[in-house]
Amino acid sequence: MDKYPFLKKAGSLFKDCHVTKVGDLTKTWTGQTIKGPALIGAPLSKSSISHSGACFAPGSIRQALGGISAYSAELREHVTDHLYDLGDIDIHVTDIVKSHEHIYHTIHGLLTDQPDWVPFVLGGDNSISYSTVKAIAQTKGTTAVFQFDAHHDVRNTEDGGPTNGTPFRRLLDEKVINGQNLIQLGIREFSNSFAYEEYVKSHQADVHTMEMIREKGLVQTIQEVLPAVKKRADSIFISVDMDVLDQAHAPGCPAIGPGGLYTEELLQAVRFLAQEAHIAGIEIVEVDPTLDFRDMTSRAAAHVILHALKGIKLSH
C-alpha cells in the first residue's frame, strides 16, 4: 500500500517515534521461558455478591496499560524491556467452583513449569484470590499476603457459597495461609461486621484500619511489619482490591466508599513491597469497567502494575 502513505489500519492511534508505550513492549506469550513479571487474566465476576462487570477488567486494564509510557523519569529508563501476556484463563459459563479450579490449576501448572515467573494477575472479582494465593502457596512455600482492601473478605460460605466476600476465610479455614501471614491494609469504617472482625482476630491476622494508617502512614506501617513477616514466610504475594481506594479515586468498583486510600499512597506501598527479593506476584481485583468514569479505575490499576514493575526493577 505504498501508493497510499496516509492510509492506516483502522483504529490506529497517534504514534510519537520518541515515546515507547507499554503496549509496544508487550508480547503474546508463545511458550518461551519466563523470567520475571508477565500478565495473565482471570475474568471472573459471576461470584460477586453485587452487580459486577469485573469480567471485563482484564481487557480494560490492558488497554489502559498499553497506552501509558513505559519510561520512568525517576529511574531514567523503561520499567521493563518486554512484558509477556499469557492471555486469559477460561472461565466456566455457570460453575463458579469450576472457574476457581481453572484459575488454580492454570497458575499452579504454569508456576511449576515456569518457576521464575512472577504472575501479574488481572481479575476478576475478589473470589479469584482463593485460587491465586493457593497456587502461590503450594509452589512458593510459606506465603504472606499483603491484602489491600476495604473489607476483611472472610464472609461465611453457608449464606452464598464461594463469593467475592469469602476468599480469605477459605484460605484460613483450609490452612493454605497462616493468620499471622495475612496483613490486611486499609480496612474501612462501616464496611465490615463484628463477627468478621472477631474471626480475623481469632486467626491472629494483622489488621490495619484506615484510622491506623492515617495515624502512622501506609509505607511506615509496612516497614514495621515486614521484618517479622520475612522471618516467617518464604514468599510475599500482593493482593490489591481496588476498592481500598477512596471512591473519588476509584469510581469503577462495585463497593466504593469514602475514607479510603489515596492513589499515590497505594502506588508507593506497592512499589515498596515489590522491591522485596521474595515477591511472588500481584493480583488486581474488583475493577468494574461498566461502572467506571473515563476509565479512572482501570488507569489506576494500570499504574499499580507499573509501580510494581518499577519496584522489581529497583530491586535488581
Side-chain angles (χ1 to χ4, degrees), residues 2 14-15 22 38 44 58 63 71 83 100 104 160 184 212 219:
D2 292 342
F14 172 75
K15 176 69 177 173
V22 178
L44 174 65
Q63 185 173 5
Y71 178 72
L83 183 64
H100 288 160
Y104 162 72
Q184 298 188 324
M212 294 163 68
V219 171

Side-chain angles (χ1 to χ4, degrees), residues 167-216:
F168 290 99
R169 187 186 197 101
R170 296 174 71 197
L171 289 165
L172 290 170
D173 282 352
E174 294 178 24
K175 296 181 171 52
V176 175
I177 57 172
N178 182 289
Q180 288 182 310
N181 290 332
L182 177 60
I183 299 88
Q184 298 188 324
L185 300 156
I187 299 299
R188 197 151 66 225
E189 188 77 325
F190 308 116
S191 299
N192 296 281
S193 76
F194 176 77
Y196 297 141
E197 182 181 295
E198 289 296 293
Y199 175 88
V200 291
K201 284 181 179 177
S202 72
H203 282 78
Q204 297 182 295
D206 194 358
V207 179
H208 301 267
T209 65
M210 277 307 307
E211 187 176 356
M212 294 163 68
I213 287 169
R214 284 281 169 261
E215 210 169 279
K216 185 174 288 186

Side-chain angles (χ1 to χ4, degrees), residues 44-63:
L44 174 65
S45 59
K46 285 185 171 66
S47 35
S48 179
I49 61 175
S50 58
H51 163 82
S52 176
C55 58
F56 302 115
S60 68
I61 296 170
R62 283 184 176 105
Q63 185 173 5

